[in-house]
Amino acid sequence: MLDTSPLTAAVERFADRLRAAPQSRLQQGAAEVALDLARELSLRAQRLEAAAAGAGNGAGAAPARTMPDAGIFVVGDQLAVAGLDLAEALHAVVAGRVDALGPDTDTDTAKAPSEVLDEAVRLVDQAEARALR
């Protein structure tokens, strides 16, 4: 079983800081950085879900859905949802023994779920540092 607690902890920490941030900080770019991160995590989760769902049956992947901009006051919640979705998608990949990123993605080689997890945690940490310095 893959331990996704580092990802969920990092996402929840950043989301909590966004929820507590003053409006001025959110307007100065923190919300934009967080929304970009939420969208990236959401796209990664969708790719993993498509890989898990299409394993062995040759099904084509549905087009990726972009997380909408719902405003600066909900971006913390959007980030939390996207992070938890990615954690669940990683669990599904591990349970189904599917390559995390297969040949239909924009990378040349498949990544192990642990690599995807580590990369996601780094993305969250970097975005938090940029948004709330």
Side-chain angles (χ1 to χ4, degrees):
M1 184 52 117
L2 183 65
D3 179 16
T4 59
S5 62
L7 175 60
T8 56
V11 165
E12 284 298 325
R13 179 186 65 241
F14 188 13
D16 286 345
R17 291 186 70 194
L18 288 165
R19 291 177 189 121
Q23 181 177 353
S24 60
R25 172 66 57 97
L26 295 171
Q27 290 173 326
Q28 291 170 355
E32 182 179 353
V33 169
L35 181 60
D36 288 344
L37 175 62
R39 286 176 171 164
E40 179 61 28
L41 297 179
S42 174
L43 290 174
R44 289 172 186 238
Q46 290 176 63
R47 276 190 245 137
L48 291 172
E49 290 166 351
N57 66 12
R65 297 165 312 279
T66 302
M67 183 172 287
D69 183 346
I72 63 172
F73 297 112
V74 297
V75 73
D77 294 331
Q78 288 179 294
L79 176 60
V81 167
L84 294 175
D85 282 352
L86 180 55
E88 287 301 315
L90 284 165
H91 286 295
V93 167
V94 170
R97 297 188 184 106
V98 178
D99 285 338
L101 296 176
D104 294 333
T105 64
D106 54 8
T107 59
D108 294 333
T109 58
K111 291 183 181 179
S114 60
E115 291 178 84
V116 175
L117 174 66
D118 293 342
E119 189 174 89
V121 171
R122 276 192 304 277
L123 287 174
V124 173
D125 290 341
Q126 291 167 355
E128 183 177 12
R130 279 193 322 274
L132 302 171
R133 33 183 143 146

